Amino acid sequence: MGIIVQEQAGLFHLQSLGMSYIIQIIDGYPVHIYWGSQMNHREPMSDMLIHTPDTAGLDRLPQEYPQYGSGDFRNPAYQVELVDGTRITELTYTGYRVTKGKPSLTGLPAVYTEDKAEAETLELELTDAYSSLKVTLYYSIFADRNVIVRSAHFCNTGGQKLRLRRALSASVDFPGQRDLEMMYLSGAWAREGNITRKPLHQGETRIDSKRGMSSHQFNPFAALVTPETTEGQGEAFGFSLVYSGGFEADAEVDSFGSIRFSIGINSFDFAWLLSPGESFQTPETVMVYSGEGLGEMSRTYHRLYRTRLCRGKHRDEERPVLVNNWEATYFDFNADKLVSIAEEGAKLGVELFVLDDGWFGKRDSDNSSLGDWFEDRRKLPGGLADVAKRINGLGLKFGLWVEPEMISPDSELYRKHPDWCLHVPGRRRSEARWQLVLDYTRQEVRDYIFDSLSAIFSGVPVSYVKWDMNRCLTEIGSAELPPERQAETAHRYVLGLYELLERITQAFPDILFESCSSGGGRFDPGMLYYMPQTWTSDNTDAAERLKIQFGTSLVYPVSAIGAHVSAVPNHQVGRITPLEFRGNVAMSGNFGYELDLTKFTDEDKETVRRQIVTYKEVRGLVQKGDLYRLKSPFEGNQSAWMFVSEDKKEALVYYFQVTAVPNAPRSYLQLAGLQPEFGYEVLPEYSGSRSIYGGDRLMKLGLPLSYQQKDYESGWFRVRATDMLRD
């Protein structure tokens, strides 16, 4: 395992427990040889040399970090503009280095190791002789995970300025005539996480965000899969960008059937000036290979992101059951109303009360006060400290909503600092939700936010923070940047955000931070580095959440997925669903309630009490177990998934039917992830009595499911390994 080098042949074989990735230097260019299931390295690989016709040029060479202008007419991985206005560079190989472990990235979130033995890193050094531009390609491969993490570092070692116009994180060329399809997550506000899958043909298939954030429309993730790939079989090649700003991911098929996949910061409206001696680091791309279908690809991402991307004390702790007052009160509340909801929550077993929007400035609606981070004493005469003390006295922890990246034109902060927002002189300042975006490229702006939030977190016993971001970036310019650096604003905004998040999370390590961007508008690996969970969608309708949570799990662990029970009729779609159905969907994530608990009937309260007791029993398995998706809501009326413990001795199964089916055929559910030779006791939640089956029977034949003739039916049950086994 690790990195095997054949210097004479120019071969680099990156090998993990079940995967190989092979690079070869040909005529000075790093060439992509192979990526797939593990290939043994018993003999020299000189016979793997790629030979192309002398007349073919670079356009036929499968490259690792291609350029444009020297004979390759496909999409380049980078482009540079020199001081004379020309845009031709030619990076060629000048050396390599292999190190133990995985390096961190300055100013950027990154996957990490806790022991250097977990990974090895290959650095390929490339140089353009004319401009003295030096680029280092990083490849970190994990010993026991089918994961490669790639990034690129640019350094201007010459004597003149140059400008990056394109700097992607990774590019991979798949050989000609490879029949692959592209999968990605698409959608919009309140309907995030839709799985899109389409065949690749000559031309380009592209997803991107020009919004300054990863976006509701497309997630910074894509996978190339074979046509026969399903949850449990077939090959999948995943690409996940650890970045929270605008991105692009592109699959280009050339006239010979070769596929070039590239991913990184969106090149649109991007530039970065490098003076002599300056450098630029791209975000990293996490590449996962699975030869056992989409499910294994997802579980590889889940384990990695849950344990080697998320950080801090809350990474491994079970997450609390919460109630959030937003859909219960919106802006119309006072201290007594908040405490009354918390009192009901305490009786039902809730562990955390979260005060959402409306507690600061003169915030009675969306149209004011963002940036004025001080308590509204009209609503809270005793301030946050008084409310938190009263709620803590009930045995609940206290949480708080903030939106620190925004500023309202109707605010004390804006009247004092109208230039602190992103803006372009002489142009209108586009408002969304009556708000503008603070210029996080500026240190004094970040310092103000840090000081304002620190004053609150230091004086109030805040255990949880929901960090929201409710609009995209427009008029992307900064009053502090010179003209030649204005195209750097969007990326500098993200770097500024990361700097602030690092400061605030390190200063308050006991606070559980949750990311939000009108729901899933910035659900990306970059944010998970600072905040281990994300509010998945503002849409809390349980039927819609089946798709949203199922799709999101394609790459993100359940421990990152916030899921709440809300009132009916649902506030987003008006649908009425049973409380049991809503609970079972929400318990398949970080569980909570977003409604007025004081309005529950006695029957509802008993249902909620049971849900909370159950979730506390199973949340360790939900949040840390291996997820197996059994039935897709994108493919039919039924959905199902299960969580399996690492030792495969325990599993939890949820199943759902959206609409009643007349004279329905009997439905069977085949389980997954169990040990075939184990005996498993199916606990009474399934049929009211205990039954014992072999693991092979549960996975091959499955169990019959019975639904009542009602819409929105659901159920759950547990299985446990037992020494007893009968036919």
Side-chain angles (χ1 to χ4, degrees), residues 683-690:
L683 300 182
E685 299 98 358
Y686 169 66
S687 63
S689 61
R690 296 174 183 265

Side-chain angles (χ1 to χ4, degrees), residues 340-407:
S340 70
I341 295 173
E343 286 175 339
E344 285 300 321
K347 296 174 186 176
L348 299 173
V350 169
E351 299 163 308
L352 167 68
F353 176 89
V354 180
L355 171 55
D356 211 280
D357 198 354
W359 58 267
F360 55 93
K362 297 179 180 178
R363 183 78 165 172
D364 296 323
S365 67
D366 286 333
N367 63 8
S368 76
S369 301
L370 288 170
D372 297 345
W373 298 110
F374 50 84
E375 302 130 316
D376 183 351
R377 294 284 178 159
R378 299 169 306 155
K379 297 178 182 179
L380 309 174
L384 289 172
D386 172 69
V387 174
K389 180 179 179 181
R390 294 169 66 182
I391 288 172
N392 289 163
L394 299 170
L396 275 66
K397 294 182 178 180
F398 179 70
L400 197 63
W401 176 97
V402 293
E403 192 175 3
E405 297 168 64
M406 301 297 151
I407 184 171

